[in-house]
Amino acid sequence: MVVQLMMIGLFIVLGIILSYGKGSFLIAGYNTMPKEEKEKYDTVALCKFMGKMMFALSFSMGLWVFSEVFEAQWLFIVGLLLFIGTCLFIVIYSNTGDRFKK
């Protein structure tokens, strides 16, 4: 449970950093783009979106901790489904519709 709490804390810290529009170097794929390609993207909007998603992922991991504390397997299942659903949403939303292009 300690490792889970540390991961939740890390995701919350990353969420705070990204919510301020900073830390774009932490976003996989974006940090490996050439400078010319990065200029085509709205970095602040992308960072803020990823910050919100870090908070959503940390909430779903929090349900895993509560499932251990209250010994309720259904909380783990709900948290896992939320985690997987959030990951799928991140991939689909950020890669369709040119939402973060200038």
Side-chain angles (χ1 to χ4, degrees), residues 1-17 51 53-69 76 79 83:
M1 181 171 9
V2 174
V3 174
Q4 290 173 337
L5 291 173
M6 289 172 44
M7 289 301 296
I8 292 169
L10 176 65
F11 274 50
I12 290 173
V13 168
L14 290 174
I16 292 169
I17 291 169
M53 294 301 101
M54 287 292 128
F55 293 132
L57 292 172
S58 64
F59 172 76
S60 65
M61 287 189 290
L63 291 178
W64 301 345
V65 173
F66 285 129
S67 75
E68 287 184 31
V69 171
F76 178 80
F83 191 89

Side-chain angles (χ1 to χ4, degrees), residues 18 23-33 46 50 54 94-95:
L18 290 168
S24 62
F25 65 93
L26 297 169
I27 301 173
Y30 180 79
N31 62 355
T32 59
M33 286 182 188
L46 179 61
M50 291 307 295
M54 287 292 128
S94 62
N95 289 311

